[in-house]
Amino acid sequence: RFRDIPLTYVLTDYSWTTRQFWKQQKQLQPWVEAGRLDFAKFDAETDETLDLENRSETLAAETLKNPLVLIANYFFDGLTQDVFKIENGKIQESRVTLTVPGANPNLNDPYIIEQISIKFQQYPTTIADYYDDADFNTLLEMYQSTLTETNLLFPIGSLGCLKRLRHLSNGRLLLLTSDKGYHHESELINRDEPKITLHGSFSMKTNYHALGKYIELCGGQFLTTPFYHNYIDSCVALLGQHPENYPETRQSYRYEIIYNNPDDFQTVKSAIDQQDEAFDVVQFLAFLRLCGWESKVFLEYFPILSQNIDTFTPNIRKSLYQAILQSWEMYYHIGEEEDLPFAIGRL
């Protein structure tokens, strides 16, 4: 029923290089030419508007007439976080000192991040006016009253981002976010000092519990799963007039995220990866269908397929051929080293 509504997708990134790649990506060109796709720089910790680069138009609270649908995939884990230590119901500010080995380290070394040591030092603080935002202080006070012994990651960069997006959308938005993190309050108890995860840059776990409580303070809903996660947590924030009146949105979340949870899929995939050599082609094709013809999965099992292809029956070959076409249709080129076209050609 939304077929005739002129929706526009906006791909945002702080990096000019990334946005230039998108603009030159041939698979995206039909969307650009149809006026359905635009691009914008977005600094999550400062920007309050979006300057569309194709339309030369600015999306601002004063000009945006429709609600926003936001997709934040592995996004919040890279934003600024504050750290607090809570002991016996008292909260202290944790300040960070970074050190690297050697008397004169090369600060321009791109691998220096792998050598960094992190040390936390606690300082007394008052939290009633710690932040300029009353809602953020309310969250801190809540944690001081409910948590006893823990190190608390407080997602101040993410909270500020949500505050600005809430203003931009005039309080009408739906946010779908997936990240490594946690949303159950019990997961905040007895946490060690936070560590960073290295992957070219660095990131930390996302405290979705805090983001959810903030959304609720703003009069919205935060949809989460009833179970815990190993790899990725997927949540939905819903703000608008009478957000409780969106049963279809809640039902979609139940079906797509609770009943078909991405974290469950990754957990099962990790177990399957340990037995990949025992996988026969029928099982592989079933798994490929379940994961939506993911090209990375296709490439992972390509060596096994190529080694055993002489044993495939005609019907299996037809099914594999259909799988090849589907995987190619879903493939999005980002310049990675794995050569999907070559693997397809060989098969």
Short mmCIF file of all heavy atoms in Angstrom, two decimals, residues 98-102 104-118 196 198 200-202:
data_model
loop_
_atom_site.label_atom_id
_atom_site.label_comp_id
_atom_site.label_asym_id
_atom_site.label_seq_id
_atom_site.Cartn_x
_atom_site.Cartn_y
_atom_site.Cartn_z
N LEU A 98 45.44 6.45 28.70
CA LEU A 98 45.95 5.56 27.67
C LEU A 98 47.47 5.63 27.64
O LEU A 98 48.05 6.72 27.67
CB LEU A 98 45.41 5.96 26.29
CG LEU A 98 43.88 6.04 26.14
CD1 LEU A 98 43.52 6.46 24.72
CD2 LEU A 98 43.25 4.70 26.46
N THR A 99 48.12 4.49 27.61
CA THR A 99 49.57 4.44 27.53
C THR A 99 50.00 3.48 26.44
O THR A 99 49.30 2.51 26.13
CB THR A 99 50.19 3.99 28.87
OG1 THR A 99 49.68 2.70 29.21
CG2 THR A 99 49.86 4.98 29.98
N VAL A 100 51.16 3.77 25.84
CA VAL A 100 51.76 2.88 24.85
C VAL A 100 53.19 2.61 25.28
O VAL A 100 53.83 3.45 25.93
CB VAL A 100 51.73 3.49 23.43
CG1 VAL A 100 50.32 3.58 22.91
CG2 VAL A 100 52.38 4.87 23.43
N PRO A 101 53.74 1.43 24.96
CA PRO A 101 55.10 1.11 25.40
C PRO A 101 56.14 1.95 24.68
O PRO A 101 55.92 2.44 23.56
CB PRO A 101 55.22 -0.38 25.04
CG PRO A 101 54.24 -0.60 23.94
CD PRO A 101 53.10 0.32 24.23
N GLY A 102 57.28 2.10 25.32
CA GLY A 102 58.39 2.82 24.71
C GLY A 102 58.45 4.26 25.16
O GLY A 102 57.44 4.88 25.53
N ASN A 104 59.49 6.90 23.26
CA ASN A 104 59.05 7.82 22.21
C ASN A 104 58.23 7.06 21.16
O ASN A 104 58.70 6.78 20.04
CB ASN A 104 60.27 8.49 21.54
CG ASN A 104 61.06 9.35 22.50
OD1 ASN A 104 60.54 10.35 23.01
ND2 ASN A 104 62.31 8.96 22.73
N PRO A 105 57.02 6.69 21.49
CA PRO A 105 56.20 5.93 20.54
C PRO A 105 55.86 6.76 19.31
O PRO A 105 55.71 7.99 19.39
CB PRO A 105 54.96 5.60 21.36
CG PRO A 105 54.89 6.66 22.40
CD PRO A 105 56.31 6.97 22.75
N ASN A 106 55.73 6.09 18.19
CA ASN A 106 55.36 6.75 16.94
C ASN A 106 53.84 6.89 16.89
O ASN A 106 53.12 5.94 16.61
CB ASN A 106 55.86 5.93 15.75
CG ASN A 106 55.47 6.57 14.41
OD1 ASN A 106 55.01 7.71 14.37
ND2 ASN A 106 55.66 5.83 13.34
N LEU A 107 53.37 8.08 17.17
CA LEU A 107 51.92 8.29 17.24
C LEU A 107 51.26 8.23 15.87
O LEU A 107 50.03 8.20 15.78
CB LEU A 107 51.63 9.64 17.91
CG LEU A 107 52.14 9.78 19.35
CD1 LEU A 107 51.75 11.13 19.92
CD2 LEU A 107 51.62 8.66 20.23
N ASN A 108 52.04 8.24 14.80
CA ASN A 108 51.48 8.13 13.45
C ASN A 108 51.42 6.68 12.97
O ASN A 108 50.97 6.41 11.86
CB ASN A 108 52.32 8.95 12.46
CG ASN A 108 52.22 10.43 12.75
OD1 ASN A 108 51.14 10.95 13.04
ND2 ASN A 108 53.35 11.13 12.66
N ASP A 109 51.88 5.76 13.81
CA ASP A 109 51.83 4.35 13.46
C ASP A 109 50.38 3.89 13.39
O ASP A 109 49.65 3.97 14.39
CB ASP A 109 52.59 3.54 14.52
CG ASP A 109 52.62 2.05 14.21
OD1 ASP A 109 52.03 1.62 13.19
OD2 ASP A 109 53.23 1.30 15.00
N PRO A 110 49.91 3.41 12.23
CA PRO A 110 48.50 3.00 12.12
C PRO A 110 48.15 1.82 13.02
O PRO A 110 46.97 1.57 13.28
CB PRO A 110 48.35 2.64 10.64
CG PRO A 110 49.74 2.32 10.18
CD PRO A 110 50.64 3.23 10.97
N TYR A 111 49.16 1.08 13.50
CA TYR A 111 48.90 -0.08 14.37
C TYR A 111 49.10 0.24 15.84
O TYR A 111 49.09 -0.66 16.69
CB TYR A 111 49.82 -1.23 13.97
CG TYR A 111 49.61 -1.71 12.56
CD1 TYR A 111 50.47 -1.33 11.54
CD2 TYR A 111 48.51 -2.51 12.22
CE1 TYR A 111 50.26 -1.74 10.23
CE2 TYR A 111 48.29 -2.93 10.92
CZ TYR A 111 49.18 -2.54 9.93
OH TYR A 111 48.97 -2.95 8.64
N ILE A 112 49.24 1.53 16.16
CA ILE A 112 49.51 1.89 17.55
C ILE A 112 48.33 1.54 18.45
O ILE A 112 48.49 1.27 19.64
CB ILE A 112 49.85 3.40 17.66
CG1 ILE A 112 50.48 3.68 19.03
CG2 ILE A 112 48.63 4.26 17.42
CD1 ILE A 112 51.04 5.08 19.15
N ILE A 113 47.14 1.53 17.87
CA ILE A 113 45.96 1.22 18.67
C ILE A 113 46.04 -0.18 19.27
O ILE A 113 45.50 -0.45 20.34
CB ILE A 113 44.68 1.37 17.81
CG1 ILE A 113 43.43 1.32 18.70
CG2 ILE A 113 44.60 0.29 16.75
CD1 ILE A 113 42.16 1.63 17.95
N GLU A 114 46.75 -1.08 18.59
CA GLU A 114 46.89 -2.44 19.10
C GLU A 114 47.83 -2.53 20.30
O GLU A 114 47.87 -3.55 20.98
CB GLU A 114 47.38 -3.37 17.98
CG GLU A 114 46.43 -3.42 16.78
CD GLU A 114 47.00 -4.25 15.64
OE1 GLU A 114 48.09 -4.81 15.82
OE2 GLU A 114 46.36 -4.32 14.58
N GLN A 115 48.62 -1.47 20.54
CA GLN A 115 49.59 -1.47 21.63
C GLN A 115 49.10 -0.70 22.86
O GLN A 115 49.76 -0.66 23.89
CB GLN A 115 50.90 -0.83 21.15
CG GLN A 115 51.45 -1.46 19.87
CD GLN A 115 52.60 -0.64 19.30
OE1 GLN A 115 53.44 -0.13 20.04
NE2 GLN A 115 52.63 -0.50 17.98
N ILE A 116 47.94 -0.09 22.76
CA ILE A 116 47.46 0.79 23.83
C ILE A 116 47.02 -0.01 25.05
O ILE A 116 46.34 -1.03 24.93
CB ILE A 116 46.30 1.66 23.31
CG1 ILE A 116 46.84 2.72 22.34
CG2 ILE A 116 45.56 2.33 24.46
CD1 ILE A 116 45.76 3.57 21.72
N SER A 117 47.43 0.47 26.22
CA SER A 117 46.93 -0.06 27.49
C SER A 117 45.98 0.96 28.10
O SER A 117 46.20 2.17 27.99
CB SER A 117 48.08 -0.33 28.46
OG SER A 117 48.96 -1.30 27.93
N ILE A 118 44.93 0.46 28.73
CA ILE A 118 43.90 1.34 29.29
C ILE A 118 43.88 1.20 30.81
O ILE A 118 43.87 0.10 31.35
CB ILE A 118 42.51 0.98 28.73
CG1 ILE A 118 42.52 1.05 27.20
CG2 ILE A 118 41.44 1.89 29.29
CD1 ILE A 118 41.24 0.57 26.56
N ILE A 196 37.98 -2.59 24.86
CA ILE A 196 37.65 -2.20 23.49
C ILE A 196 37.91 -3.37 22.56
O ILE A 196 38.78 -4.20 22.79
CB ILE A 196 38.46 -0.96 23.04
CG1 ILE A 196 39.97 -1.24 23.05
CG2 ILE A 196 38.13 0.25 23.91
CD1 ILE A 196 40.79 -0.10 22.49
N LEU A 198 39.02 -4.41 18.79
CA LEU A 198 39.78 -3.85 17.67
C LEU A 198 39.37 -4.51 16.37
O LEU A 198 39.26 -5.73 16.28
CB LEU A 198 41.28 -4.06 17.91
CG LEU A 198 41.86 -3.45 19.18
CD1 LEU A 198 43.34 -3.78 19.30
CD2 LEU A 198 41.65 -1.94 19.20
N GLY A 200 40.34 -2.68 12.94
CA GLY A 200 40.70 -1.55 12.09
C GLY A 200 40.53 -0.25 12.85
O GLY A 200 41.44 0.57 12.95
N SER A 201 39.36 -0.04 13.41
CA SER A 201 39.12 1.01 14.39
C SER A 201 38.88 0.30 15.72
O SER A 201 39.46 -0.76 15.96
CB SER A 201 37.93 1.87 13.98
OG SER A 201 36.78 1.05 13.84
N PHE A 202 38.05 0.85 16.59
CA PHE A 202 37.72 0.14 17.82
C PHE A 202 36.28 0.45 18.20
O PHE A 202 35.68 1.42 17.75
CB PHE A 202 38.68 0.50 18.96
CG PHE A 202 38.53 1.91 19.47
CD1 PHE A 202 37.65 2.21 20.50
CD2 PHE A 202 39.28 2.94 18.93
CE1 PHE A 202 37.51 3.50 20.98
CE2 PHE A 202 39.15 4.24 19.39
CZ PHE A 202 38.27 4.52 20.42
#
